[in-house]
Amino acid sequence: MASIEISNAVKSYGAVDVLHGIDLDIQDGEFIVLVGPSGCGKSTLLRMIAGLEDITSGAISIGGTVVNELQPKDRDIAMVFQSYALYPHMSVAENMSYALTLRKTAKEKIADAITNVAEILGLTALLERRPKALSGGQRQRVAMGRAIVRKPQAFLFDEPLSNLDARLREQMRTEIRKLHRRLGATSVYVTHDQIEAMTMADRIVAMHDGIIQQVGSPVEIYDRPANIFVASFIGSPAMNFLKGAYEIAQNDTTGIRLTDGSFVPVLPARGATANQTVTLGARPEHIALVPDGNGGIPARVELIEPMGLSTLVHVSLAGNPVKIFTLDRPDFAVDSFIHIAFDMEKVHVFDTQTELRLPPESEPHMARTA
Amino acid sequence: MNVSGNSPARKLVYWGSHYLMIGAFVVFALFPLYWLLKVSVTPNDILYTEGVRMWPSRTTWENYFFVLTQSNFPHYFLNSVIVAGTTAIVTTMVAAVTGYSFSRFAFRGKMIIVALMLITQMFPLVMLIAPIFKILAPLGLTDSLTGLIIVYTAFNVPFATFLMQSFFDGIPKDLEEAAMIDGNTRFQAFRRIILPLTLPGVAATLGFVFTAAWSELLFALMLVSSESASTFPVGLLSFVSKFSVDFGQMMAAGVLALIPACAFFLLIQRYLVQGLTAGAVKG
């Protein structure tokens, strides 16, 4: 196993830069998830680590060796593809042993490795089958097996669960995590699914437009997003955003005056000046329904979405749609007015212009933002 | 869609007309072949005297016997096998690597090359015979099998390339990328992973080029003058003399000429069927 260092990596197609100076250190044994919307460059970055895309400038090293000029076969990495990319004309066993055969590993050793990995992944009964005789989940396992058998320096995953149905995806998510704990292999996992990112990562790398937006643990990214993009991308249902002006009242309380005149108190934000245009960010679970209307802000109910465990109340506030998460089962009439209150400890203040988060003055300075 | 409805009578009419149409087409398509066979076994003396009959009153193998033992036909045959076989193999090999590069790589001038290859397909062959003769003559390639092979290969490569490209396009890029990560160079990945999966495409291309070269007459007639380098379509013409056409022997030769083509397709049909239906069902 090895660490991966990416320094100032740039990728351009002609005049178009798709990755702008990526810096990222991946520790030995770490599980890193690259997450972002499609077109953000996460897959390109992964393919650059694999050697399937050239590096326009900058350097990528695996285990201390710069691999910029190395062919994929000489980088000692394994990759799991979204399409699984199993060789259709080979049996499961042949698929898994292909890399070892190419390395001229002794036959007995290969057989041992296959037996061992097949056992871990529950593939023992399927070894003689061709990929087309397997279900989606089984193919996924074979693709994993093919990677594991090699004992590579690092595992690369390119949206490996996207083709599975929801239940299987959930199951494989846990299995991959368990496997990672067992093998302790350095892993880089690309996904557009923020739930996968949250549940699997040691650290999440949130990317947008070829730039790393934030690197941090899932909880860090969720609780202290660096900017509006990260705040909106991570979390489901997504964060609510409301534009307003930052206000410092006479009694030193601070808050945001929304466009409809209502006032939302917030903790003093570092770097915010009076009357600055800011964006209030509030996750659905950080907005409370105020039953008696005492001190709440009035909002018009637009839709009630029962989710089983919880209910999502869609309201309109100052002309903006706002979603509220509640474990109660409210039965508001559509178009009726209710009162809501923002959790001042939990909501975020963003500079509307730079889109950066203005953290509360009480919060310690953050280590890593990009 | 349930066209046939539920009643057995309608089902019968539906399937009946279905098979009737297929049958009509098969008869229409195969009738000339049947006539070829019929004439080839008809004795010369009753060929014109019996009128139009579906089967002659007597049959004979003497036309075959004559063609095989008394004529140059076995020699023409051999020439045709050499020319068509070599052309098919060389063309398919060239088309495989070219088609692969068209399918997988973006390179400068790719569109120009594709356009040029398309343009070569636009000219009627007749137009090109004179210049080709002029080019080949000083090189000593007229009146030679090598010359024919070169010309046929040149003419078939563009189409065969596009054919192969479409087969490569149907194979996901991920496969060779996986192979390259597993330890192959790109060429090894092509040879060990991609090519085996393209066997149906290879078979289809081989078959197409083989039949094209096997039955080509125009160049064979114009570029070759001696008996020793003639292919069988040219040989067939030798049964047409100034005063008569020896239909019996000509047809017998025709039937014999079908054999290699049939054998070839029999050999590749397993792959061919896969190839023609490839992509119909997601694997």
Side-chain angles (χ1 to χ4, degrees), chain A residues 47 50 52 72-73 77-79 81 83 85-90 98-99 102-103 139 146 150, chain B residues 172-186 188-189 192-194 196-197 283:
Chain A
R47 292 168 57 83
L52 297 171
K73 71 185 180 76
I77 34 107
M79 185 156 164
F81 291 81
S83 65
L86 301 179
Y87 311 129
H89 57 308
M90 297 182 190
Y98 189 65
L102 291 177
R103 277 172 184 68
R139 288 180 203 187
R146 187 168 67 177
R150 294 177 43 190
Chain B
K173 248 184 165 173
D174 287 358
L175 282 182
E176 70 246 47
E177 287 179 349
M180 281 157 70
I181 285 175
D182 267 352
N184 280 152
T185 62
R186 186 175 274 276
Q188 285 169 336
R192 300 188 55 163
I193 304 294
I194 304 302
L197 295 174

Side-chain angles (χ1 to χ4, degrees), chain A residues 155-187:
Chain A
F155 289 107
L156 308 178
F157 298 89
D158 192 4
E159 311 212 11
L161 305 185
S162 313
N163 288 353
L164 300 179
D165 62 48
R167 188 182 295 260
L168 209 50
R169 198 178 311 163
E170 213 177 293
Q171 185 192 337
M172 283 312 289
R173 218 159 62 197
T174 354
E175 271 189 46
I176 293 178
R177 271 310 276 168
K178 278 187 194 156
L179 265 174
H180 177 253
R181 200 165 304 149
R182 181 166 176 171
L183 303 169
T186 312
S187 304

